[in-house]
Amino acid sequence: MIPSLLAVAQDAERPTQGAEDAERPMTFLDHVEELRAAVWRSATVALILVAAAWFFSGRLLDALILYLLRGEKALALSPTEAFSARIEVALWTGGVVALPYVMFELWRFVAPGLKKSERHFAIPWMVASAALLYLGIAFAIELLLPMIVRMLQSFATGQIESRMSLLSLLHFSVKMAAGCGLLFQLPLVLCLLAWFGIVSPKVLARQWRHAIFFIALAAAVVTPGDGPSMLVLSVPLVLLYFVSLVFAWAIWRSRWKSRREPGELG
């Protein structure tokens, strides 16, 4: 009789012990193991997408060449250049497509350590970051790259035949697309500055001339530095700057409403 009562008592204690284990704070090794699992899942998904992109890399490469060179062919100057170009196309395509899942894994890892208000801010931030990255890449491929390639080819004289090697064209395209994708993150940077109370939207609005100067400077770094391409890239960035001030102002009002601006009287 007594052993059976002890068994019942032990069974009754098990759910409580399980709940206590669930509420137990994670140790450093637990965090390392969770990070390792997140990295492993992200790498697996990225490798699968890169392998899938390999089967479409030839078509993507042909489409890029036809779109930028208007029917001309790119030159493979070494026996391995075509293979290397297809590898790079697969890597970049798979990596860009896998980015939302990688950000999701990052969110799963850091979410338990965030406050409720921070979680509400982090989800829109990650979605907006991916959307702006894709928007910048699309802007570079659809508008900026064709214009720059045509303009650079126009400098050829009667004794110069404008031809491009495959890898040089691909690397130039990747540089432009990656640069535009990063520059299009400008609204998120301004919103983060407002979120953490580093710079107020009023200060950002007053310094709009400096902002335009640095935007033009960044456009000069990404593009070849000529006037037309700098202008084409600077215009949407300036528009994004002023639009993002509206969101930064809303964030500032919700978090730092009582904070005084520099030079304001209480």
Side-chain angles (χ1 to χ4, degrees):
M1 184 68 179
I2 293 177
S4 62
L5 291 175
L6 291 175
V8 171
Q10 290 175 356
D11 292 339
E13 290 177 358
R14 284 172 186 170
T16 304
Q17 293 174 354
E20 291 177 354
D21 293 339
E23 296 175 357
R24 180 176 58 86
M26 295 179 64
T27 65
F28 174 74
L29 293 178
D30 292 334
H31 285 293
V32 172
E33 179 63 25
E34 191 169 338
L35 177 61
R36 185 196 65 82
V39 171
W40 175 254
R41 288 191 298 266
S42 300
T44 301
V45 171
L47 287 175
I48 292 173
L49 290 174
V50 168
W54 164 258
F55 294 99
F56 301 97
S57 60
R59 297 179 183 178
L60 293 174
L61 198 56
D62 287 343
L64 180 66
I65 294 171
L66 289 172
Y67 185 66
L68 296 182
L69 301 185
R70 296 172 293 174
E72 297 181 7
K73 293 184 178 181
L75 300 178
L77 302 179
S78 69
T80 61
E81 188 163 346
F83 175 75
S84 299
R86 290 191 59 177
I87 288 290
E88 291 190 24
V89 168
L91 288 173
W92 282 105
T93 304
V96 170
V97 175
L99 184 62
Y101 181 80
V102 174
M103 296 180 69
F104 170 72
E105 287 291 345
L106 177 63
W107 160 251
R108 288 181 58 183
F109 178 71
V110 302
L114 298 178
K115 298 178 181 178
K116 187 176 181 181
S117 60
E118 293 172 340
R119 293 178 187 175
H120 290 166
F121 178 76
I123 294 177
W125 182 83
M126 289 191 298
V127 173
S129 178
L132 288 171
L133 176 67
Y134 293 143
L135 181 62
I137 293 174
F139 173 82
I141 295 175
E142 291 293 331
L143 182 61
L144 195 59
L145 270 171
M147 186 199 72
I148 293 177
V149 171
R150 286 195 295 269
M151 182 200 65
L152 294 177
Q153 285 182 320
S154 67
F155 287 102
T157 65
Q159 300 300 317
I160 300 176
E161 184 179 1
S162 178
R163 304 293 297 274
M164 295 190 189
S165 70
L166 180 58
L167 282 179
S168 63
L169 178 64
L170 180 60
H171 293 164
F172 182 76
S173 302
V174 168
K175 175 193 171 185
M176 296 293 298
C180 290
L182 291 177
L183 289 178
F184 271 57
Q185 303 296 309
L186 176 65
L188 296 183
V189 175
L190 299 182
C191 289
L192 285 175
L193 292 175
W195 175 268
F196 291 109
I198 299 174
V199 181
S200 74
K202 282 186 178 180
V203 174
L204 294 174
R206 287 198 297 263
Q207 303 298 326
W208 64 271
R209 294 179 181 85
H210 296 84
I212 292 177
F213 170 78
F214 285 110
I215 286 174
L217 186 63
V221 173
V222 173
T223 63
D226 60 286
S229 59
M230 284 178 57
L231 182 63
V232 170
L233 180 55
S234 298
V235 168
L237 291 176
V238 171
L239 293 177
L240 284 175
Y241 179 84
F242 286 107
V243 170
S244 61
L245 288 180
V246 178
F247 295 97
W249 177 259
I251 293 172
W252 182 272
R253 293 284 295 177
S254 64
R255 287 180 60 85
W256 313 104
K257 188 176 181 180
S258 60
R259 175 179 290 190
R260 296 179 185 175
E261 294 290 334
E264 283 186 350
L265 299 177

